[in-house]
Amino acid sequence: MAVATAALGAVLAVSACSGGGAAKAPADTGGGGGGNSGYTFAMITHETPGDTFWDRIKAGANQAAKDTGSTLKYTSDPDATKQATLIQSAIDAKVDGIATTLVTPDALIPTVQKAVAAGIPVDSFNSGTDFFVKAGSIAHFASDERLAGQQAGAKAKADGATKILCTIQQTGSVALEDRCAGVKDSFPNTENIQVNGADDSAVTSALQAKFAQDKDINWVITLGAAQSLDAIKAEDGAGSTAKIGTFDLNKDAAQAVKDGKLQFCIDQQPYLQGYLAITQLYLYKKNGNVMGAGKPSLTGPSFVDSTNVDKILPFIDQNTR
């Protein structure tokens, strides 16, 4: 069944390359294993090309589409205006439901509200926990970002932090800002630095320069697994001995934890976010079911460190953690 109608495919394909910007991530299609529900769901995210975090979001969403016999159309753009355009394209295609991230709420909520007004159920995930009710989402699946930041700051403090550097790799992301704000809640001597998360070499260079300039930094909290690996390279280049912890998890970051190069990864279980977002839309269409009772359904934070990384690695290998 995993084939969308020609009209839907054409609409979303055109929208995915509109606006004269960079090429978008190709639409991923899944579905069929659970029979033919007849439903088509659109998932729209702020994925940055090359960020493997989103591979697990898509893996979970595709598995949910299979399990429910639904068709999934996935599109993404890190530019908020273009993400809103992709949501509008899904509305125009009259999909049965929309799952979206709310990383830049002011730019996205007006279009999400258009979907709700058109009778299309919307749920949200990953980012925008404080905004999903305003957007009209029926449910929201995410980690508690501020709480995770507070716990990360507390761990660094207990481990002897004197000054923490917190990296933000996407301008305007409320989720990333909440993470660093949480770190600062627990450890006030925290400084934020803005880096370009789409360019690993630029991240490494910026952090290396910062380490060389400020020798007081003895802890770094990065907000993405890729940036944690950049931080390790930057430390080597600057001769820094700062300890590093990170939000999010991938195979290389987990291996770095195992090797002692990272102190921890904060896992928000992106596979689960993708799976639940699509399953919720299916259950709402089929039965009127709603998860969360108006509150966010939390998928994290969960810490992966030297005490449990060996148990987690097999799930990372199969792209489900």
Side-chain angles (χ1 to χ4, degrees):
M1 136 66 188
V3 180
T5 65
L8 173 64
V11 169
L12 292 182
V14 169
S15 69
C17 57
S18 64
K24 314 299 184 296
D28 284 340
T29 303
N36 184 353
S37 72
Y39 299 137
T40 295
F41 301 125
M43 175 172 277
I44 301 115
T45 78
H46 60 282
E47 174 182 355
T48 299
D51 187 343
T52 59
F53 172 88
W54 298 96
D55 292 345
R56 276 156 293 151
I57 293 277
K58 289 182 279 190
N62 279 322
Q63 186 62 53
K66 280 186 177 182
D67 291 348
T68 61
S70 305
T71 296
L72 173 69
K73 301 301 293 184
Y74 178 96
T75 55
S76 64
D77 200 302
D79 181 276
T81 301
K82 293 175 183 176
Q83 186 183 353
T85 299
L86 293 174
I87 296 171
Q88 183 61 57
S89 296
I91 297 169
D92 295 341
K94 294 181 171 56
V95 297
D96 295 296
I98 294 172
T100 186
T101 57
L102 295 173
V103 66
T104 45
D106 289 345
L108 298 174
I109 285 176
T111 312
V112 171
Q113 290 174 336
K114 289 181 183 178
V116 175
I120 299 173
V122 177
D123 64 21
S124 50
F125 65 98
N126 180 258
S127 52
T129 299
D130 294 332
F131 300 91
F132 82 95
V133 174
K134 178 181 178 182
S137 300
I138 57 175
H140 185 77
F141 307 98
S143 180
D144 186 325
E145 303 289 19
R146 187 133 187 169
L147 174 63
Q150 291 166 350
Q151 292 180 353
K155 282 182 176 291
K157 180 179 180 179
D159 200 32
T162 55
K163 183 174 183 179
I164 298 176
L165 185 68
C166 190
T167 68
I168 298 179
Q169 72 268 21
Q170 184 177 0
T171 302
S173 167
V174 292
L176 300 186
E177 290 169 358
D178 281 349
R179 290 176 176 183
C180 282
V183 174
K184 195 174 183 69
D185 287 342
S186 293
F187 196 84
N189 193 23
T190 295
E191 179 182 346
N192 295 353
I193 183 172
Q194 187 76 48
V195 296
N196 179 8
D199 185 341
D200 286 323
S201 62
V203 175
T204 300
S205 296
L207 293 180
Q208 185 170 323
K210 187 63 179 177
F211 291 144
Q213 177 260 325
D214 190 346
K215 301 296 186 181
D216 291 336
I217 297 167
N218 73 337
W219 255 89
V220 182
I221 305 294
T222 61
L223 305 189
Q227 288 73 47
S228 72
L229 304 175
D230 299 334
I232 292 171
K233 293 177 186 176
E235 275 199 330
D236 291 342
S240 171
T241 58
K243 293 183 177 180
I244 304 169
T246 191
F247 281 75
D248 297 337
L249 181 67
N250 65 19
K251 186 173 182 179
D252 290 337
Q255 188 61 49
V257 169
K258 187 174 176 65
D259 295 340
K261 295 179 179 179
L262 285 178
Q263 302 305 303
F264 58 76
C265 298
I266 302 174
D267 181 22
Q268 61 174 299
Q269 300 188 94
Y271 179 93
L272 190 57
Q273 291 176 10
Y275 189 91
L276 291 176
I278 296 305
T279 301
Q280 168 64 91
L281 291 174
Y282 169 79
L283 290 172
Y284 184 80
K285 290 292 293 185
K286 184 175 176 60
N287 303 321
N289 299 135
V290 176
M291 290 183 263
K295 303 290 185 181
S297 297
L298 297 183
T299 62
S302 173
F303 280 79
V304 176
D305 56 24
S306 60
T307 67
N308 61 359
V309 66
D310 286 331
K311 294 179 181 179
I312 301 297
L313 274 168
F315 301 117
I316 298 172
D317 287 339
Q318 67 189 31
N319 209 35
T320 57
R321 280 292 293 267

